[in-house]
């Protein structure tokens, strides 16, 4: 996370401040935006080939617009008006995979009332992103077709979250082309962040998982194994077989020595 303030700059200076962010995902918070800020996304991994950049402005994003530099030209990515849209994510291809430069231009303002231009970002490889918008990025995780056995076995090894549970409810958001699956969790095998948490009153473990509206997810009975990856602090659905079907696949692979990783059976 990077935090800075436009109030710390010299009033008469026309220099553009510059910051470098070395992580493949993170956030930036610019308080009291003034003049301009150049943000260079330059991950430490020398072998990384990040072909897609995704930016999610905070819900209270104000005071600036975000551009990407390409061949000396600035191209608008997020305008100040778009920043307040819920779940709004902008993705674009990175012409130089190891170094992406963003340009934040502060909006003219007559007063110094507090404004904050903050956003999260993710650099994605072409293995996890399929195009220049968030729906296509998520499609790699939210597979509308059932996973085959090998995809399922790999999912339990490489997913950001793996949980056993049942579907409590499914809600749909047509405006943002998303569905949300509310899961009652019996066991958390793995989670990157605390998306699945225990409720204080009931002691029940619950958590939301997002998927694409086009996948037409419906509520079904029984236990499932939910897997997937996280984007901007939200869980996106990957493979989600019925738990009994998963157990048959895993045990058969284990007997053949074909399981790519060990999974806790009990």
């Amino acid at each position: 996370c990077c935090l800075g303030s436009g109030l710390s700059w010299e009033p008469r200076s026309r220099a553009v401040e510059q910051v470098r962010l070395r992580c493949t995902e993170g956030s930036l918070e610019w308080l009291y935006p003034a003049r301009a800020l150049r943000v260079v996304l330059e991950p430490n991994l020398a072998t990384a080939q990040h072909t897609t950049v995704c930016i999610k402005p905070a819900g209270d994003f104000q005071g600036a617009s975000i551009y990407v530099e390409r061949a000396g030209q600035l191209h608008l990515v997020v305008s100040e008006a778009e920043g307040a849209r819920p779940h709004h994510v902008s993705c674009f291809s990175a012409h130089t995979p190891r170094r992406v430069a963003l340009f934040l231009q502060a909006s003219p303002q007559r007063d110094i009332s507090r404004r904050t231009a903050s956003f999260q970002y993710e650099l994605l490889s072409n293995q996890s992103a399929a195009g220049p918008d968030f729906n296509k990025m998520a499609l790699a995780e939210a597979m509308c077709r059932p996973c085959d056995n090998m995809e399922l076995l790999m999912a339990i090894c490489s997913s950001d979250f793996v949980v056993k549970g049942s579907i409590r409810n499914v809600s749909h958001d047509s405006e943002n082309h998303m569905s949300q699956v509310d899961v009652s969790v019996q066991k958390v095998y793995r989670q990157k962040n605390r998306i699945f948490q225990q409720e204080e009153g009931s002691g029940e473990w619950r958590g939301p998982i997002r998927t694409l509206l086009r996948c037409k997810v419906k509520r079904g009975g029984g236990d499932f194994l939910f897997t997937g990856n996280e984007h901007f602090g939200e869980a996106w659905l990957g493979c989600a077989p019925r738990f009994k079907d998963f157990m048959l696949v895993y045990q058969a692979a284990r007997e053949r020595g074909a399981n790519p990783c060990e999974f806790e059976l009990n």
Side-chain angles (χ1 to χ4, degrees):
C1 178
C2 179
L3 174 66
S5 171
L7 297 181
S8 62
W9 297 348
E10 291 294 332
R12 296 182 181 179
S13 173
R14 292 186 176 273
V16 175
E17 293 287 331
Q18 179 167 284
V19 297
R20 293 181 183 273
L21 302 180
R22 298 289 188 178
C23 298
T24 56
E25 60 181 82
S27 61
L28 180 139
E29 186 173 4
W30 191 21
L31 307 178
Y32 304 100
R35 293 183 293 281
L37 179 68
R38 188 169 185 262
V39 180
V40 180
L41 307 179
E42 199 170 29
N44 285 324
L45 299 175
T47 58
Q49 293 293 325
H50 299 100
T51 57
T52 301
V53 181
C54 292
I55 294 173
K56 181 179 181 181
D60 59 353
F61 184 96
Q62 293 184 71
S65 295
I66 305 175
Y67 300 79
V68 60
E69 290 185 8
R70 285 188 179 141
Q73 300 292 319
L74 296 179
H75 300 269
L76 181 65
V77 176
V78 177
S79 68
E80 183 176 10
E82 290 176 324
R85 290 169 55 189
H87 308 300
H88 177 66
V89 175
S90 298
C91 297
F92 54 90
S93 60
H95 286 194
T96 52
R98 297 178 185 174
R99 187 173 181 275
V100 177
L102 303 176
F103 189 86
L104 277 68
Q105 176 67 56
S107 305
Q109 50 186 307
R110 296 181 179 179
D111 56 50
I112 59 170
S113 59
R114 175 162 179 165
R115 298 185 183 185
T116 302
S118 62
F119 64 88
Q120 295 172 281
Y121 72 90
E122 288 189 13
L123 303 180
L124 302 168
S125 69
N126 57 6
Q127 294 178 344
S128 59
D133 61 51
F134 186 53
N135 278 353
K136 291 181 180 178
M137 180 191 84
L139 188 58
E141 318 300 343
M143 291 180 281
C144 297
R145 60 173 176 78
C147 296
D148 63 32
N149 290 352
M150 183 51 65
E151 288 171 333
L152 175 55
L153 292 170
M154 290 303 298
I156 63 173
C157 303
S158 59
S159 295
D160 290 339
F161 65 89
V162 181
V163 300
K164 176 185 178 182
S166 58
I167 299 175
R168 291 179 57 96
N169 186 45
V170 178
S171 56
H172 305 289
D173 180 354
S174 57
E175 182 178 351
N176 291 296
H177 310 289
M178 294 185 297
S179 296
Q180 179 170 298
V181 181
D182 292 317
V183 176
S184 177
V185 178
Q186 296 177 27
K187 185 173 180 61
V188 177
Y189 294 97
R190 182 192 314 129
Q191 64 172 327
K192 184 178 179 181
N193 294 305
R194 291 182 54 81
I195 289 177
F196 304 95
Q197 297 189 34
Q198 189 175 25
E199 293 185 336
E200 292 184 4
S202 64
E204 181 183 14
W205 283 78
R206 296 181 60 178
I209 302 176
R210 294 185 177 277
T211 187
L212 296 182
L213 187 65
R214 71 182 72 156
C215 291
K216 298 180 180 179
V217 174
K218 297 179 180 179
R219 182 176 178 178
D223 296 332
F224 295 83
L225 186 73
F226 298 98
T227 71
N229 288 322
E230 294 182 23
H231 294 297
F232 302 106
E234 296 175 339
W236 282 86
L237 186 65
C239 299
R242 291 191 177 275
F243 191 79
K244 61 181 182 180
D245 296 335
F246 158 72
M247 290 299 294
L248 292 174
V249 171
Y250 178 77
Q251 288 173 338
R254 193 178 186 189
E255 290 175 2
R256 302 192 313 270
N259 53 311
C261 65
E262 289 293 328
F263 185 80
E264 182 182 356
L265 293 174
N266 297 326

